[in-house]
Amino acid sequence: AREVALADSSSPLTRTIANLGFARLFIENGRLTITGMSRPDLELSGLKSEIVVRSRGQITAKGQFSLAGQSVTFDANLSLPPEKSERPLDLYQYPLRLTLKTGGLTATLDGKVDVFGSLRFEGNADFAATRARALLTWLGLQLKGRNGLETIAIKGGARWSDSALAMDRAKIEIDGNEATGAVSIDHGAKRPSIDATLSFQTLDLSKLFDAGPAALINEDLNLELWRA
């Protein structure tokens, strides 16, 4: 039986959910395609999820999917926008808290998703990798040696649109080295690219360069990471 009925509004996503009229939805072995205006489509396969529509316009979803051969679990809480507003664009902004986990990586986004035009996010982001070297290998960067790049943590305000994630005045910790600065990640190409301008109080790279900087990376890499 239907437990919750959402009121109709001028937001397309709200209308779609309201028209479905469910309180709880289970998805097994689904496939989700996320399309964008300036990047390749993102394919999520093997989707398994439970979606619950709660009172006061709250929607929760949890489950897992496969991305590039890697299993990812997720836990999301989405709030529907107001039914009416003096500012029409408010009808397209959805408060969202999303946590993704895969391997040694945990990523949390807490802010608002804007679905007017192209998909955008603005809010706070928190990334913590306890197996950073394995994560970089999954992303396509082949590293030699076994030392260094074990833990990376990044947190701060974030803006994401199309294929780029930008974080200004972020707090970063790499193998115990603390820094502040700006980080941007562009995932629109076949291989993600990272650009960062960081300020360290102290910087110990002895673990990272035990074998010498030239032996660390097995390919050409144009990456500006360290700037005092």
Side-chain angles (χ1 to χ4, degrees):
R2 183 184 304 177
E3 299 174 13
V4 178
L6 297 178
D8 199 8
S9 79
S10 57
S11 168
L13 181 57
T14 305
R15 290 200 306 268
T16 300
I17 296 174
N19 290 335
L20 289 176
F22 65 85
R24 190 181 301 269
L25 175 68
F26 296 90
I27 299 175
E28 292 283 349
N29 196 27
R31 179 179 296 272
L32 176 64
T33 301
I34 302 175
T35 61
M37 299 178 63
S38 62
R39 57 178 172 80
D41 292 347
L42 186 64
E43 294 283 349
L44 309 181
S45 60
L47 176 62
K48 181 179 180 180
S49 177
E50 177 186 2
I51 303 173
V52 179
V53 179
R54 304 185 185 279
S55 59
R56 297 182 181 179
Q58 297 288 323
I59 300 175
T60 61
K62 59 182 179 180
Q64 64 184 48
F65 57 84
S66 179
L67 174 63
Q70 185 75 18
S71 179
V72 181
T73 63
F74 66 91
D75 191 334
N77 190 314
L78 180 73
S79 299
L80 298 181
E83 296 179 11
K84 297 181 181 180
S85 175
E86 295 181 357
R87 297 183 301 177
L89 292 181
D90 287 349
L91 303 176
Y92 295 86
Q93 295 182 345
Y94 296 77
L96 171 71
R97 180 176 176 82
L98 171 65
T99 299
L100 302 170
K101 295 183 179 182
T102 178
L105 172 68
T106 299
T108 299
L109 301 177
D110 191 351
K112 287 187 176 182
V113 174
D114 192 329
V115 299
F116 183 79
S118 60
L119 189 65
R120 297 182 298 276
F121 169 84
E122 185 168 352
N124 294 316
D126 189 339
F127 302 94
T130 57
R131 297 172 53 203
R133 181 175 291 271
L135 175 64
L136 292 174
T137 300
W138 176 53
L139 292 174
L141 182 61
Q142 301 300 321
L143 302 179
K144 284 188 173 182
R146 298 182 178 178
N147 297 324
L149 283 180
E150 294 301 326
T151 61
I152 297 177
I154 306 174
K155 63 176 57 179
R159 300 183 309 278
W160 176 83
S161 63
D162 292 332
S163 63
L165 173 70
M167 299 181 67
D168 298 324
R169 296 186 294 275
K171 295 182 179 180
I172 300 102
E173 183 174 333
I174 303 174
D175 284 348
N177 297 291
E178 297 182 355
T180 57
V183 179
S184 63
I185 304 173
D186 190 333
H187 55 85
K190 182 178 180 180
R191 177 173 298 174
S193 61
I194 303 173
D195 182 72
T197 301
L198 306 179
S199 175
F200 290 86
Q201 291 185 345
T202 60
L203 180 59
D204 181 5
L205 298 179
S206 58
K207 293 182 179 180
L208 187 61
F209 294 130
D210 278 349
L216 178 66
I217 299 175
N218 190 24
E219 59 182 283
D220 293 334
L221 180 66
N222 183 17
L223 178 63
E224 182 181 2
L225 276 178
W226 322 116
R227 179 185 296 174

